[in-house]
């Protein structure tokens, strides 16, 4: 799959976090992502994921972005999907993520659309999946 006909592409997915340092470190530890240090600030950490970037905004960013009225919105609002190279890698990363503070919601399984995936909550309760798209 390629980008849109206008050249638009997803550059970042940003997550509001209570502790940007700890949460960004969790994703670095589980997936081996590397911090983009040149964009680090007291209220932001960015990670290079290979094809796009994953950002973590401190709670102060709600005000900066004029989103104060939404800062207490409850419920699952997004789902991070992180693709890996094999079924074995899914099986290896799930216990690693759990050992680093994630909660397993749904153990690795084969989906009806032929992906192998697990559903987890990161240490701050954000939903993410570890996926392998099978042939």
């Amino acid at each position: 799959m390629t980008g849109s006909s206008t050249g638009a592409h997803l550059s970042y997915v940003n997550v509001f976090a209570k502790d940007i340092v700890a949460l960004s470190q969790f994703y670095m530890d589980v997936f081996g992502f590397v911090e983009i240090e040149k964009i680090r600030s007291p209220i932001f950490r960015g990670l290079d994921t290979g094809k796009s970037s994953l950002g973590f905004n401190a709670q102060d960013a709600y005000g900066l972005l004029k989103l104060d009225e939404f800062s207490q919105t409850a419920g699952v609002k997004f789902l991070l999907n992180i693709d890996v190279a094999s079924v074995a890698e899914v099986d290896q990363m799930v216990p690693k993520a759990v050992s680093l503070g994630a909660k397993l919601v749904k153990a690795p399984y084969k989906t009806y659309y032929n992906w192998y995936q697990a559903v987890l909550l990161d240490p701050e309760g954000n939903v993410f999946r570890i996926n392998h798209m099978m042939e």
Side-chain angles (χ1 to χ4, degrees):
M1 178 182 282
T2 60
S4 73
S5 61
T6 64
H9 68 279
L10 179 65
S11 62
Y12 272 88
V13 171
N14 287 31
V15 176
F16 286 95
K18 294 178 184 117
D19 185 338
I20 60 173
V21 174
L23 196 58
S24 62
Q25 190 65 54
F26 169 81
Y27 284 93
M28 288 189 289
D29 290 346
V30 174
F31 298 103
F33 298 151
V34 176
E35 182 182 358
I36 307 166
E37 292 185 21
K38 68 182 180 184
I39 60 173
R40 177 191 287 184
S41 81
I43 64 168
F44 183 79
R45 294 294 187 276
L47 305 181
D48 182 348
T49 69
K51 293 187 178 184
S52 62
S53 299
L54 181 58
F56 298 91
N57 291 89
Q59 301 295 302
D60 292 346
Y62 281 110
L64 182 71
L65 300 171
K66 303 278 188 227
L67 294 172
D68 290 318
E69 69 180 281
F70 305 106
S71 67
Q72 301 303 314
T73 305
V76 174
K77 301 296 182 189
F78 68 92
L79 166 62
L80 293 175
N81 287 281
I82 301 171
D83 292 343
V84 297
S86 67
V87 167
E89 205 168 351
V90 173
D91 289 336
Q92 292 165 359
M93 287 190 173
V94 168
K96 182 177 185 179
V98 170
S99 75
L100 293 169
K103 178 181 177 186
L104 183 61
V105 175
K106 188 168 184 179
Y109 67 103
K110 182 180 174 185
T111 69
Y112 71 89
Y113 43 88
N114 207 33
W115 287 18
Y116 186 71
Q117 69 184 22
V119 181
L120 302 101
L121 299 176
D122 71 22
E124 290 199 11
N126 301 302
V127 181
F128 72 100
R129 293 190 299 194
I130 303 173
N131 302 309
H132 174 66
M133 297 167 53
M134 298 166 45
E135 299 295 319

